[in-house]
Amino acid sequence: MSCCDSSLVEIINLSGADFSITASDGEVGNLHGLDTGTSIPYKGYAIGYAYSSGGTKGDASGYVTVTSTTGGYELKLPYSFTASNNFGACPCTAASQDDVQSGNYVAKADVATGSNSGEARTVWVIVSQPT
């Protein structure tokens, strides 16, 4: 089992609009819990967990795409968890780009490295900004 298994991927919606998940892909490993069609209403959130799989050297990465229910603004939110070696040892380092923007919606990432299994996290917070 990898130190990166069960790493948290969370999306918090503080934008003033409702969003839903329109795509979800664990490109390296798997992502559980953030399924296409999941609604994330204003002041709501959605949680998923990333896992490595055979041949991924303990790593897990991918993205979740959320789209506003009005206006169709799309935010593609990446996540990446990297184990300290090819055998999945701790710590698990989380990384992501800082901001993703579409229209007046901005998602900001907060990442944390996990020194124990399942402690790494990537939390995206969606906000709106004046146009």
Tab-separated table of all heavy atoms in Angstrom, residues 37 67 107:
chain	number	residue	atom	x	y	z
A	37	GLY	N	-21.608	13.929	-12.508
A	37	GLY	CA	-23.008	14.124	-12.142
A	37	GLY	C	-23.210	14.569	-10.702
A	37	GLY	O	-24.311	14.982	-10.327
A	67	THR	N	-18.519	22.279	-13.624
A	67	THR	CA	-19.138	23.245	-14.531
A	67	THR	C	-20.292	23.923	-13.816
A	67	THR	O	-21.087	23.259	-13.133
A	67	THR	CB	-19.643	22.548	-15.812
A	67	THR	OG1	-18.545	21.838	-16.407
A	67	THR	CG2	-20.202	23.551	-16.810
A	107	ALA	N	-10.883	29.023	-8.917
A	107	ALA	CA	-10.643	27.964	-7.942
A	107	ALA	C	-9.208	28.084	-7.452
A	107	ALA	O	-8.278	28.216	-8.262
A	107	ALA	CB	-10.885	26.601	-8.574
